[in-house]
Amino acid sequence: MAAAVEARSLDLGYRNEDAGTVSVLSGVDLTVDAGEFLSILGPSGCGKSTLLRVIADLLDPLGGEISILGKSPGEARRAREVGFVFQDSTLLPWRTVTANIELPYVIGGRYAVSGAPDRTAGLLGMLGLDGLGGRYPHQLSGGQRQRVAIARALLTEPKLLLMDEPFGALDEITRDRLNDELLRLWRRTGTTILFVTHSIMEAVYLGQRIMVLSANPGRIRAIRDLRGAKEADNRCRREDPAIVAAMTDMRNVLETA
Ligand SMILES: Nc1ncnc2c1ncn2[C@@H]1O[C@H](COP(=O)(O)OP(=O)(O)OP(=O)(O)O)[C@@H](O)[C@H]1O
Ligand SMILES: [Mg+2]
Protein backbone atom coordinates (compact mmCIF):
# COMPACT_ATOMS: atom_id res chain seq x y z
CA MET A 1 0.00 0.00 0.00
CA ALA A 2 1.27 3.49 -0.86
CA ALA A 3 2.24 5.73 2.05
CA ALA A 4 -0.27 8.44 2.90
CA VAL A 5 2.49 11.04 2.68
CA GLU A 6 5.99 10.59 1.28
CA ALA A 7 8.24 13.65 1.25
CA ARG A 8 11.89 13.72 0.16
CA SER A 9 14.14 16.77 0.56
CA LEU A 10 11.05 18.92 0.46
CA ASP A 11 11.54 22.70 0.60
CA LEU A 12 8.55 24.86 1.47
CA GLY A 13 7.94 28.56 1.40
CA TYR A 14 6.31 31.40 -0.46
CA ARG A 15 7.19 33.12 -3.70
CA ASN A 16 6.12 36.72 -3.50
CA GLU A 17 6.06 39.12 -6.43
CA ASP A 18 7.78 41.93 -4.55
CA ALA A 19 9.57 40.47 -1.52
CA GLY A 20 11.10 37.50 -3.33
CA THR A 21 11.12 33.96 -2.02
CA VAL A 22 10.50 33.30 1.68
CA SER A 23 11.85 29.94 2.80
CA VAL A 24 9.83 28.34 5.62
CA LEU A 25 10.78 24.65 5.93
CA SER A 26 13.66 22.90 4.20
CA GLY A 27 14.93 19.35 3.80
CA VAL A 28 11.72 17.73 4.99
CA ASP A 29 11.98 13.93 4.82
CA LEU A 30 8.82 12.29 6.06
CA THR A 31 6.88 9.07 5.53
CA VAL A 32 3.41 8.81 7.03
CA ASP A 33 1.96 5.33 6.73
CA ALA A 34 -1.60 4.77 5.57
CA GLY A 35 -3.87 4.74 8.61
CA GLU A 36 -1.39 6.50 10.89
CA PHE A 37 -2.25 9.25 13.38
CA LEU A 38 0.58 11.81 13.36
CA SER A 39 0.61 14.83 15.69
CA ILE A 40 2.57 17.92 14.68
CA LEU A 41 3.99 20.40 17.21
CA GLY A 42 6.17 23.44 16.76
CA PRO A 43 6.47 27.13 17.62
CA SER A 44 4.17 29.68 16.00
CA GLY A 45 5.32 30.56 12.49
CA CYS A 46 7.54 27.47 12.03
CA GLY A 47 5.52 26.22 9.06
CA LYS A 48 2.93 23.73 10.31
CA SER A 49 0.06 25.24 8.30
CA THR A 50 2.38 25.69 5.32
CA LEU A 51 3.18 21.97 5.35
CA LEU A 52 -0.52 21.06 5.42
CA ARG A 53 -1.18 23.53 2.57
CA VAL A 54 1.39 21.79 0.38
CA ILE A 55 -0.02 18.35 1.19
CA ALA A 56 -3.52 19.62 0.34
CA ASP A 57 -2.28 21.11 -2.97
CA LEU A 58 -3.13 24.65 -1.88
CA LEU A 59 0.52 25.66 -2.30
CA ASP A 60 3.34 24.37 -4.51
CA PRO A 61 6.58 23.28 -2.84
CA LEU A 62 9.74 25.27 -3.63
CA GLY A 63 11.69 22.07 -4.24
CA GLY A 64 12.00 18.36 -3.49
CA GLU A 65 9.45 15.62 -3.92
CA ILE A 66 6.12 14.82 -2.36
CA SER A 67 3.53 12.16 -3.06
CA ILE A 68 0.15 11.72 -1.42
CA LEU A 69 -1.29 8.18 -1.46
CA GLY A 70 1.07 7.40 -4.32
CA LYS A 71 -0.07 10.39 -6.39
CA SER A 72 0.87 14.01 -6.82
CA PRO A 73 -0.90 16.38 -4.40
CA GLY A 74 -3.01 17.68 -7.31
CA GLU A 75 -4.14 14.20 -8.31
CA ALA A 76 -5.00 13.32 -4.71
CA ARG A 77 -7.00 16.54 -4.36
CA ARG A 78 -8.90 15.98 -7.59
CA ALA A 79 -9.67 12.41 -6.47
CA ARG A 80 -11.12 13.99 -3.28
CA GLU A 81 -8.87 11.88 -1.12
CA VAL A 82 -7.75 14.71 1.16
CA GLY A 83 -9.96 16.48 3.73
CA PHE A 84 -8.94 19.68 5.52
CA VAL A 85 -10.17 21.20 8.77
CA PHE A 86 -8.72 24.70 8.77
CA GLN A 87 -7.18 26.62 11.65
CA ASP A 88 -9.99 29.16 11.68
CA SER A 89 -13.03 27.05 11.02
CA THR A 90 -14.72 28.58 8.04
CA LEU A 91 -18.44 27.82 8.05
CA LEU A 92 -20.53 29.99 5.78
CA PRO A 93 -22.82 31.98 8.09
CA TRP A 94 -25.72 32.12 5.63
CA ARG A 95 -25.87 28.34 5.15
CA THR A 96 -27.41 25.88 7.59
CA VAL A 97 -25.36 23.13 9.24
CA THR A 98 -26.53 20.63 6.62
CA ALA A 99 -25.79 23.01 3.75
CA ASN A 100 -22.34 23.72 5.17
CA ILE A 101 -21.55 20.00 5.45
CA GLU A 102 -22.72 19.40 1.88
CA LEU A 103 -20.68 22.28 0.50
CA PRO A 104 -18.00 19.99 -1.04
CA TYR A 105 -20.72 18.34 -3.14
CA VAL A 106 -21.99 21.68 -4.34
CA ILE A 107 -18.50 22.92 -5.17
CA GLY A 108 -17.60 19.62 -6.81
CA GLY A 109 -20.83 19.56 -8.79
CA ARG A 110 -21.59 16.06 -7.59
CA TYR A 111 -24.72 16.85 -5.62
CA ALA A 112 -27.05 14.86 -7.80
CA VAL A 113 -24.67 11.93 -8.16
CA SER A 114 -24.06 10.87 -4.60
CA GLY A 115 -26.36 10.05 -1.71
CA ALA A 116 -25.75 13.37 -0.04
CA PRO A 117 -28.71 13.42 2.38
CA ASP A 118 -27.93 9.91 3.68
CA ARG A 119 -24.27 10.65 4.14
CA THR A 120 -24.97 13.97 5.83
CA ALA A 121 -27.40 12.35 8.25
CA GLY A 122 -24.80 9.71 9.05
CA LEU A 123 -22.15 12.35 9.70
CA LEU A 124 -24.49 14.40 11.91
CA GLY A 125 -25.04 11.29 14.00
CA MET A 126 -21.40 10.28 14.08
CA LEU A 127 -20.36 13.73 15.33
CA GLY A 128 -23.15 14.17 17.87
CA LEU A 129 -24.96 16.82 15.84
CA ASP A 130 -28.33 15.07 15.56
CA GLY A 131 -31.17 17.56 15.31
CA LEU A 132 -28.88 20.51 14.55
CA GLY A 133 -28.84 20.21 10.75
CA GLY A 134 -31.25 23.10 10.26
CA ARG A 135 -29.42 25.57 12.47
CA TYR A 136 -27.11 28.35 11.33
CA PRO A 137 -23.49 28.61 12.54
CA HIS A 138 -24.28 31.50 14.93
CA GLN A 139 -26.80 29.25 16.68
CA LEU A 140 -24.10 26.71 17.61
CA SER A 141 -21.45 26.51 20.32
CA GLY A 142 -17.79 26.70 19.32
CA GLY A 143 -17.39 22.96 19.80
CA GLN A 144 -20.43 22.23 17.66
CA ARG A 145 -19.09 24.50 14.92
CA GLN A 146 -15.79 22.61 14.94
CA ARG A 147 -17.67 19.32 14.65
CA VAL A 148 -19.57 20.68 11.64
CA ALA A 149 -16.24 21.60 10.04
CA ILE A 150 -15.00 18.04 10.69
CA ALA A 151 -18.20 16.56 9.24
CA ARG A 152 -17.71 18.67 6.12
CA ALA A 153 -14.12 17.45 5.78
CA LEU A 154 -15.33 13.83 6.11
CA LEU A 155 -18.10 14.14 3.53
CA THR A 156 -16.02 12.82 0.65
CA GLU A 157 -14.62 10.01 2.83
CA PRO A 158 -11.04 11.25 2.53
CA LYS A 159 -8.24 8.76 3.01
CA LEU A 160 -6.14 11.57 4.47
CA LEU A 161 -7.52 14.09 6.94
CA LEU A 162 -5.53 17.26 7.68
CA MET A 163 -6.49 19.04 10.89
CA ASP A 164 -4.94 22.43 11.72
CA GLU A 165 -5.49 23.25 15.40
CA PRO A 166 -9.14 22.23 15.13
CA PHE A 167 -9.82 22.43 18.88
CA GLY A 168 -7.55 25.35 19.77
CA ALA A 169 -10.35 27.70 20.76
CA LEU A 170 -12.26 25.28 22.99
CA ASP A 171 -12.33 24.80 26.76
CA GLU A 172 -10.33 21.86 28.08
CA ILE A 173 -13.29 19.61 28.94
CA THR A 174 -14.86 20.01 25.50
CA ARG A 175 -11.48 19.53 23.87
CA ASP A 176 -10.87 16.30 25.81
CA ARG A 177 -14.27 14.99 24.76
CA LEU A 178 -13.71 15.87 21.10
CA ASN A 179 -10.26 14.23 21.28
CA ASP A 180 -11.94 10.98 22.33
CA GLU A 181 -14.57 11.33 19.61
CA LEU A 182 -11.86 11.93 17.05
CA LEU A 183 -9.98 8.81 18.15
CA ARG A 184 -13.16 6.74 17.87
CA LEU A 185 -13.76 8.14 14.40
CA TRP A 186 -10.16 7.38 13.40
CA ARG A 187 -10.47 3.77 14.64
CA ARG A 188 -13.75 3.33 12.81
CA THR A 189 -12.73 4.84 9.48
CA GLY A 190 -9.03 3.96 9.23
CA THR A 191 -8.37 7.46 7.89
CA THR A 192 -4.82 8.77 8.09
CA ILE A 193 -4.77 11.90 10.27
CA LEU A 194 -2.23 14.72 10.43
CA PHE A 195 -3.10 16.80 13.46
CA VAL A 196 -1.48 20.18 14.21
CA THR A 197 -1.75 21.45 17.77
CA HIS A 198 0.00 23.73 20.27
CA SER A 199 -1.07 21.47 23.15
CA ILE A 200 1.61 18.97 24.17
CA MET A 201 -1.01 16.95 26.04
CA GLU A 202 -3.26 16.78 23.00
CA ALA A 203 -0.38 15.83 20.70
CA VAL A 204 0.78 13.04 23.01
CA TYR A 205 -2.72 11.78 23.76
CA LEU A 206 -3.79 11.56 20.12
CA GLY A 207 -0.68 10.73 18.13
CA GLN A 208 0.93 7.39 17.41
CA ARG A 209 3.92 9.49 16.43
CA ILE A 210 4.71 13.13 17.11
CA MET A 211 6.68 15.35 14.78
CA VAL A 212 8.24 18.52 16.19
CA LEU A 213 9.16 21.29 13.75
CA SER A 214 11.64 24.02 14.59
CA ALA A 215 11.82 27.59 13.34
CA ASN A 216 14.86 29.48 12.00
CA PRO A 217 15.91 27.33 10.33
CA GLY A 218 12.61 25.59 9.70
CA ARG A 219 13.24 21.86 9.86
CA ILE A 220 11.96 18.64 11.35
CA ARG A 221 13.47 18.85 14.83
CA ALA A 222 12.43 15.37 16.04
CA ILE A 223 9.98 12.56 15.41
CA ARG A 224 8.96 10.42 18.39
CA ASP A 225 7.18 7.08 18.16
CA LEU A 226 4.72 6.55 21.02
CA ARG A 227 3.27 3.27 19.78
CA GLY A 228 5.33 1.33 22.34
CA ALA A 229 3.92 3.46 25.16
CA LYS A 230 0.29 2.95 24.13
CA GLU A 231 -2.04 0.05 23.57
CA ALA A 232 -2.34 -1.49 20.11
CA ASP A 233 -5.38 0.66 19.21
CA ASN A 234 -3.53 3.84 20.28
CA ARG A 235 -5.40 3.96 23.59
CA CYS A 236 -3.70 5.51 26.60
CA ARG A 237 -4.45 7.14 29.91
CA ARG A 238 -3.27 10.70 30.32
CA GLU A 239 -1.77 9.88 33.74
CA ASP A 240 0.19 6.78 32.64
CA PRO A 241 3.87 7.23 33.60
CA ALA A 242 4.94 6.56 29.98
CA ILE A 243 2.57 9.27 28.75
CA VAL A 244 3.71 11.75 31.41
CA ALA A 245 7.32 10.98 30.45
CA ALA A 246 6.52 11.54 26.77
CA MET A 247 5.04 14.94 27.62
CA THR A 248 8.17 15.97 29.54
CA ASP A 249 10.30 14.79 26.63
CA MET A 250 8.20 16.80 24.14
CA ARG A 251 8.40 19.90 26.33
CA ASN A 252 12.20 19.63 26.36
CA VAL A 253 12.35 19.20 22.59
CA LEU A 254 10.01 22.16 22.04
CA GLU A 255 12.03 24.42 24.30
CA THR A 256 14.95 24.09 21.90
CA ALA A 257 12.86 24.10 18.72
N1 LIG B 1 1.44 34.05 1.89
C1 LIG B 1 2.58 34.16 2.59
N2 LIG B 1 3.63 34.82 2.09
C2 LIG B 1 4.80 34.91 2.77
N3 LIG B 1 5.00 34.34 3.98
C3 LIG B 1 3.97 33.68 4.53
C4 LIG B 1 2.71 33.53 3.86
N4 LIG B 1 1.91 32.79 4.67
C5 LIG B 1 2.63 32.50 5.78
N5 LIG B 1 3.87 33.01 5.69
C6 LIG B 1 4.96 32.89 6.67
O1 LIG B 1 5.38 31.53 6.69
C7 LIG B 1 5.78 31.17 8.00
C8 LIG B 1 5.06 29.89 8.42
O2 LIG B 1 3.69 30.18 8.54
P1 LIG B 1 2.66 29.06 8.99
O3 LIG B 1 1.31 29.64 8.89
O4 LIG B 1 2.93 27.81 8.26
O5 LIG B 1 3.09 28.87 10.53
P2 LIG B 1 2.46 27.92 11.65
O6 LIG B 1 3.54 26.99 12.11
O7 LIG B 1 1.20 27.31 11.15
O8 LIG B 1 2.16 28.97 12.82
P3 LIG B 1 0.94 29.06 13.86
O9 LIG B 1 1.27 28.07 14.94
O10 LIG B 1 1.01 30.46 14.37
O11 LIG B 1 -0.33 28.75 13.14
C9 LIG B 1 5.49 32.36 8.89
O12 LIG B 1 6.67 33.04 9.11
C10 LIG B 1 4.53 33.20 8.07
O13 LIG B 1 4.68 34.57 8.34
MG1 LIG C 1 -0.79 27.55 11.59
mmCIF file of all heavy atoms in Angstrom, residues 45 47-50 53 87 164-165 196 198, ligand 2:
data_model
loop_
_atom_site.group_PDB
_atom_site.id
_atom_site.type_symbol
_atom_site.label_atom_id
_atom_site.label_comp_id
_atom_site.label_asym_id
_atom_site.label_seq_id
_atom_site.Cartn_x
_atom_site.Cartn_y
_atom_site.Cartn_z
ATOM 1 N N GLY A 45 4.581 30.038 13.641
ATOM 2 C CA GLY A 45 5.316 30.561 12.495
ATOM 3 C C GLY A 45 6.371 29.614 11.940
ATOM 4 O O GLY A 45 7.079 29.956 10.997
ATOM 5 N N GLY A 47 5.880 26.774 10.362
ATOM 6 C CA GLY A 47 5.519 26.221 9.063
ATOM 7 C C GLY A 47 4.558 25.041 9.096
ATOM 8 O O GLY A 47 4.420 24.324 8.104
ATOM 9 N N LYS A 48 3.861 24.860 10.199
ATOM 10 C CA LYS A 48 2.928 23.733 10.311
ATOM 11 C C LYS A 48 1.791 23.852 9.295
ATOM 12 O O LYS A 48 1.480 22.904 8.567
ATOM 13 C CB LYS A 48 2.354 23.657 11.740
ATOM 14 C CG LYS A 48 3.425 23.562 12.821
ATOM 15 C CD LYS A 48 2.833 23.522 14.220
ATOM 16 C CE LYS A 48 2.118 24.801 14.634
ATOM 17 N NZ LYS A 48 2.999 25.991 14.733
ATOM 18 N N SER A 49 1.161 25.040 9.257
ATOM 19 C CA SER A 49 0.063 25.236 8.300
ATOM 20 C C SER A 49 0.584 25.193 6.870
ATOM 21 O O SER A 49 -0.088 24.673 5.968
ATOM 22 C CB SER A 49 -0.642 26.568 8.557
ATOM 23 O OG SER A 49 -1.214 26.585 9.850
ATOM 24 N N THR A 50 1.787 25.718 6.659
ATOM 25 C CA THR A 50 2.384 25.693 5.321
ATOM 26 C C THR A 50 2.545 24.251 4.833
ATOM 27 O O THR A 50 2.234 23.943 3.676
ATOM 28 C CB THR A 50 3.754 26.399 5.346
ATOM 29 O OG1 THR A 50 3.565 27.739 5.820
ATOM 30 C CG2 THR A 50 4.398 26.427 3.979
ATOM 31 N N ARG A 53 -0.744 22.914 3.835
ATOM 32 C CA ARG A 53 -1.180 23.526 2.573
ATOM 33 C C ARG A 53 -0.555 22.826 1.377
ATOM 34 O O ARG A 53 -1.211 22.609 0.355
ATOM 35 C CB ARG A 53 -0.794 25.006 2.550
ATOM 36 C CG ARG A 53 -1.881 25.923 3.059
ATOM 37 C CD ARG A 53 -1.443 27.376 3.042
ATOM 38 N NE ARG A 53 -1.873 27.994 4.288
ATOM 39 C CZ ARG A 53 -1.128 28.746 5.070
ATOM 40 N NH1 ARG A 53 0.114 29.027 4.732
ATOM 41 N NH2 ARG A 53 -1.612 29.222 6.182
ATOM 42 N N GLN A 87 -7.505 26.038 10.358
ATOM 43 C CA GLN A 87 -7.176 26.618 11.653
ATOM 44 C C GLN A 87 -8.311 27.519 12.152
ATOM 45 O O GLN A 87 -8.701 27.442 13.303
ATOM 46 C CB GLN A 87 -5.872 27.416 11.505
ATOM 47 C CG GLN A 87 -5.287 27.919 12.797
ATOM 48 C CD GLN A 87 -3.809 28.277 12.641
ATOM 49 O OE1 GLN A 87 -3.238 28.150 11.568
ATOM 50 N NE2 GLN A 87 -3.209 28.721 13.723
ATOM 51 N N ASP A 164 -5.837 21.351 11.294
ATOM 52 C CA ASP A 164 -4.937 22.428 11.715
ATOM 53 C C ASP A 164 -5.513 23.095 12.959
ATOM 54 O O ASP A 164 -6.404 23.928 12.866
ATOM 55 C CB ASP A 164 -4.782 23.436 10.570
ATOM 56 C CG ASP A 164 -3.553 24.312 10.743
ATOM 57 O OD1 ASP A 164 -2.933 24.261 11.818
ATOM 58 O OD2 ASP A 164 -3.221 25.042 9.787
ATOM 59 N N GLU A 165 -5.014 22.718 14.118
ATOM 60 C CA GLU A 165 -5.488 23.251 15.403
ATOM 61 C C GLU A 165 -7.012 23.300 15.476
ATOM 62 O O GLU A 165 -7.585 24.359 15.771
ATOM 63 C CB GLU A 165 -4.927 24.657 15.642
ATOM 64 C CG GLU A 165 -3.422 24.702 15.770
ATOM 65 C CD GLU A 165 -2.934 26.101 16.102
ATOM 66 O OE1 GLU A 165 -3.504 26.722 17.014
ATOM 67 O OE2 GLU A 165 -2.000 26.578 15.439
ATOM 68 N N VAL A 196 -2.331 19.101 13.689
ATOM 69 C CA VAL A 196 -1.481 20.179 14.211
ATOM 70 C C VAL A 196 -2.088 20.722 15.497
ATOM 71 O O VAL A 196 -3.292 20.980 15.566
ATOM 72 C CB VAL A 196 -1.361 21.320 13.183
ATOM 73 C CG1 VAL A 196 -0.715 22.546 13.810
ATOM 74 C CG2 VAL A 196 -0.572 20.859 11.968
ATOM 75 N N HIS A 198 -0.989 23.103 19.387
ATOM 76 C CA HIS A 198 -0.004 23.726 20.274
ATOM 77 C C HIS A 198 -0.018 23.063 21.647
ATOM 78 O O HIS A 198 0.775 23.413 22.515
ATOM 79 C CB HIS A 198 -0.280 25.225 20.421
ATOM 80 C CG HIS A 198 0.236 26.030 19.280
ATOM 81 N ND1 HIS A 198 1.577 26.205 19.050
ATOM 82 C CD2 HIS A 198 -0.392 26.670 18.266
ATOM 83 C CE1 HIS A 198 1.748 26.932 17.967
ATOM 84 N NE2 HIS A 198 0.561 27.222 17.462
HETATM 85 MG MG MG B 2 -0.787 27.548 11.592
#
